[in-house]
Amino acid sequence: RSALVMFLARLGSLNALEQTRESKFWSRWIAGDPPSADSMGRICALVNHDDLRAANHQVYSRLKRNKALVAPWHGLTSLVLDGHESHATYRRCCAGCLEREVTVKSKDGGTETRKQFYHRHVTARLITESLSLMLDAEPIRAGEDEVAAAMRLLERVITSYPRAFDVVIADALYTDPRFFKFVRERGKHVLAVLKNENRDLIRDVRSLCEVTAPVEILSGKRKCQCWDIKGLESWPQVGMPVRVVRSEERWSVRRQLDGELEQQVSDWLWVTTLPESLASTAAVWEIGHSRWTIENEGFNELVTRWHADHVYKHDDSAMLSFWLICLVASNVFQAFFLRNLKPQVRAEYSMLHLARLISSCLYAGIPSRAPG
């Protein structure tokens, strides 16, 4: 409960949390003083992660019961999976650290190879019409790749949230036969970015696009021409026909330096198991682009505003505990802002302003006397 307040108040440090111990707020929240910084780190290393996941599930269940998690216009709720590296260091390691060799500049101007220690995990984000939730996370273990950790995470998420989503979205790293088979065997569809590693499939898609009429999609000022190629068998390793949607997108950007309009072009390829009866070309296009929410609204927000990458204690169990608590805090705050506050309040005050109000309530309860 103390760590939850630390994230909601955006304190970013166990020592900063410890300095609020005299606040009258704590007697109402935990019926006493919060633990010291050292005790917080030690206790979080011993916390049962399943208990933290259960707390996050309670947030999801309450929102689902209140009909706050509505599917988008196409009727398909998505689960995005992506890996995130929380920190890297050359100096400290723990039992859960991953290792890699990194080439760096040496003092004499040349290069040298150094061993770097880092932590990386896979996180799942649920995407609905207006409210998205960070559901769960799984650390990547030594000797395994990201896809293996993602499948372990997905197995637990499907068990805990069996009806929460219809399709799993991932980047090009997950265009892997293991992953596609794993998802389909559990009754879910999958969509992933397609890149040059699948050369035969891409070559066939581009050839078929030359003789297939595109569908035009307008999204703001962006014009998209989409080709929808179905029943492809150029990827025999996956053991099933797949569907590929290609999107060639054009838009203009006015450069600040000279005020001139510059034309931008991007070319996207998504491979999916979604049939046309479930998802139209426009639906696949929107689902494919929704993958970016885990980066822009997920990791970037948690790292920049919530101090989620701060190493509160260099212990693999403690680091996962703090990350899971941060996910709970973020979900509760998002639900409060989007579902509890009136539209007029949301239009006038930002999320960051409300976070500072939470922090001010914590500090307001500290007796006003000069330190020392």
Side-chain angles (χ1 to χ4, degrees):
R1 291 170 71 91
S2 300
L4 184 70
V5 171
M6 178 184 69
F7 283 113
L8 287 173
R10 318 286 179 97
L11 297 181
S13 165
L14 294 179
N15 289 323
L17 179 68
E18 186 177 10
Q19 291 175 21
T20 67
R21 296 181 72 184
E22 294 186 8
S23 175
K24 296 178 181 178
F25 163 82
W26 293 114
S27 62
R28 302 190 303 271
W29 179 243
I30 57 175
D33 295 331
S36 66
D38 290 339
S39 295
M40 283 287 294
R42 175 178 52 81
I43 293 169
C44 283
L46 302 174
V47 167
N48 188 334
H49 299 139
D50 289 338
D51 291 340
L52 300 177
R53 294 182 174 111
N56 211 12
H57 192 280
Q58 290 179 11
V59 177
Y60 162 82
S61 299
R62 180 68 63 86
L63 291 169
K64 186 70 174 179
R65 193 180 311 120
N66 292 339
K67 298 183 171 33
L69 304 178
V70 180
W73 63 268
H74 46 70
L76 298 174
T77 303
S78 305
L79 183 81
V80 185
L81 297 180
D82 201 6
H84 176 71
E85 184 174 315
S86 58
H87 88 292
T89 178
Y90 296 103
R91 299 181 179 276
R92 300 184 64 185
C93 68
C94 66
C97 274
L98 305 176
E99 299 180 11
R100 61 189 172 198
E101 299 292 333
V102 179
T103 301
V104 297
K105 289 185 178 181
S106 59
K107 294 181 180 180
D108 58 4
T111 60
E112 62 178 355
T113 301
R114 296 184 63 184
K115 181 181 292 187
Q116 189 179 64
F117 306 100
Y118 67 102
H119 283 260
R120 187 174 178 84
H121 54 78
V122 183
T123 298
R125 181 178 177 87
L126 183 71
I127 300 177
T128 64
E129 178 65 27
S130 60
L131 181 62
S132 298
L133 303 176
M134 303 292 271
L135 291 188
D136 200 353
E138 179 68 23
I140 300 175
R141 299 169 182 169
E144 70 176 6
D145 60 5
E146 185 176 315
V147 174
M151 290 191 294
R152 191 168 60 251
L153 168 64
L154 192 57
E155 184 75 66
R156 185 172 60 244
V157 170
I158 291 177
T159 302
S160 301
Y161 305 86
R163 301 175 62 185
F165 58 95
D166 308 291
V167 55
V168 180
I169 316 173
D171 61 19
L173 182 65
Y174 293 82
T175 310
D176 187 312
R178 295 174 299 160
F179 186 72
F180 270 62
K181 291 178 181 179
F182 181 88
V183 176
R184 287 302 295 136
E185 287 171 357
R186 283 148 185 82
K188 304 295 182 181
H189 285 284
V190 58
L191 182 146
V193 178
L194 181 62
K195 289 194 175 178
N196 292 330
E197 287 74 9
N198 301 80
R199 294 183 180 86
D200 293 340
L201 186 57
I202 289 181
R203 184 172 59 248
D204 289 349
V205 168
R206 295 195 182 278
S207 298
L208 290 170
C209 285
E210 295 177 359
V211 295
T212 304
V215 175
E216 187 170 287
I217 297 176
L218 295 177
S219 177
K221 297 181 179 180
R222 183 173 297 209
K223 292 184 178 181
C224 312
Q225 283 192 319
C226 295
W227 292 264
D228 196 338
I229 313 299
K230 309 170 191 67
L232 291 165
E233 298 182 354
S234 308
W235 193 16
Q237 297 88 342
V238 79
M240 68 188 79
V242 294
R243 176 186 180 189
V244 174
V245 172
R246 178 190 175 192
S247 175
E248 186 180 273
E249 306 176 5
R250 300 177 183 274
W251 69 99
S252 300
V253 175
R254 187 174 297 279
R255 295 302 177 189
Q256 187 176 9
L257 182 62
D258 53 15
E260 296 293 328
L261 282 176
E262 182 177 332
Q263 295 295 319
Q264 302 289 311
V265 180
S266 65
D267 196 350
W268 287 93
L269 287 166
W270 296 286
V271 57
T272 181
T273 61
L274 283 167
E276 189 177 17
S277 58
L278 283 180
S280 64
T281 304
V284 173
W285 179 88
E286 183 169 304
I287 292 171
H289 277 298
S290 66
R291 184 185 67 83
W292 287 104
T293 61
I294 196 170
E295 287 284 351
N296 299 333
E297 301 171 15
F299 297 142
N300 289 346
E301 176 74 13
L302 292 177
V303 171
T304 305
R305 301 297 187 189
W306 295 79
H307 310 285
D309 275 3
H310 180 76
V311 182
Y312 296 94
K313 181 178 177 62
H314 198 139
D315 176 272
D316 57 333
S317 179
M319 293 173 72
L320 180 58
S321 294
F322 282 114
W323 181 261
L324 292 174
I325 295 171
C326 184
L327 299 189
V328 175
S330 173
N331 290 339
V332 170
F333 184 84
Q334 294 278 346
F336 170 76
F337 184 84
L338 295 174
R339 301 293 300 179
N340 187 266
L341 298 182
K342 301 295 183 182
Q344 295 83 353
V345 177
R346 295 200 301 270
E348 185 174 358
Y349 299 107
S350 66
M351 289 187 179
L352 186 57
H353 176 78
L354 292 175
R356 288 168 175 162
L357 290 179
I358 294 174
S359 178
S360 68
C361 292
L362 184 61
Y363 282 102
I366 301 176
S368 57
R369 62 173 182 269

